[in-house]
Amino acid sequence: MAEQDWKKRLGVVYSTNPDFQYQTVQEAEAETLPPQKQRLTVRIDRRHRAGKQVTLVEGFVGTSADLAALAKTLKTRCGVGGSAKDGEITVQGDLRDKVTALLREMGYNASRGN
């Protein structure tokens, strides 16, 4: 998919200066903490999902690439689908115990929520 640069400039007024270069603000991502210092909470959620249950892993501090890699590992080991965004991993189904055990096995400080 082509980069849609115009969406980042929606609030910019037209400039007649031929040398004008629009500067976008780059948001800095937090550096990924080692697994021993991560404090993850594994809980179940049913809201806004048409009654379906999903397991949420919250509290990850790090880059989106590391979050996606951890999510891929969890989804592969559990044999289900899911997603990773906004510092949260979503795994389809009620797999709180299995996900908590896998995270502890990988060295993360994980606790089971509700």
Side-chain angles (χ1 to χ4, degrees):
M1 179 179 263
E3 178 68 31
Q4 296 182 358
D5 185 46
W6 62 270
K7 287 186 176 182
K8 297 176 186 171
R9 298 181 283 143
L10 284 178
V12 176
V13 179
Y14 179 77
S15 175
T16 57
N17 183 358
D19 298 326
F20 178 75
Q21 295 292 323
Y22 181 75
Q23 303 289 327
T24 58
V25 178
Q26 297 292 331
E27 295 179 15
E29 284 189 299
E31 186 174 321
T32 304
L33 294 175
Q36 299 81 12
K37 294 187 179 183
Q38 296 275 3
R39 184 170 171 85
L40 304 177
T41 305
V42 181
R43 66 181 186 89
I44 192 167
D45 188 29
R46 292 181 196 91
R47 286 188 222 128
H48 308 292
R49 303 181 200 281
K52 308 277 190 217
Q53 298 176 343
V54 295
T55 303
L56 295 177
V57 180
E58 300 172 324
F60 185 83
V61 177
T63 63
S64 57
D66 292 335
L67 178 71
L70 179 61
K72 181 176 173 81
T73 303
L74 290 175
K75 293 185 301 181
T76 302
R77 300 274 302 267
C78 292
V80 296
S83 67
K85 56 185 167 185
D86 301 330
E88 183 175 86
I89 298 172
T90 305
V91 178
Q92 293 176 351
D94 183 5
L95 300 169
R96 290 174 288 184
D97 296 328
K98 188 172 185 176
V99 169
T100 304
L102 287 172
L103 287 170
R104 287 186 180 155
E105 184 181 299
M106 288 187 250
Y108 287 92
N109 183 11
S111 62
R112 186 176 184 269
N114 58 350

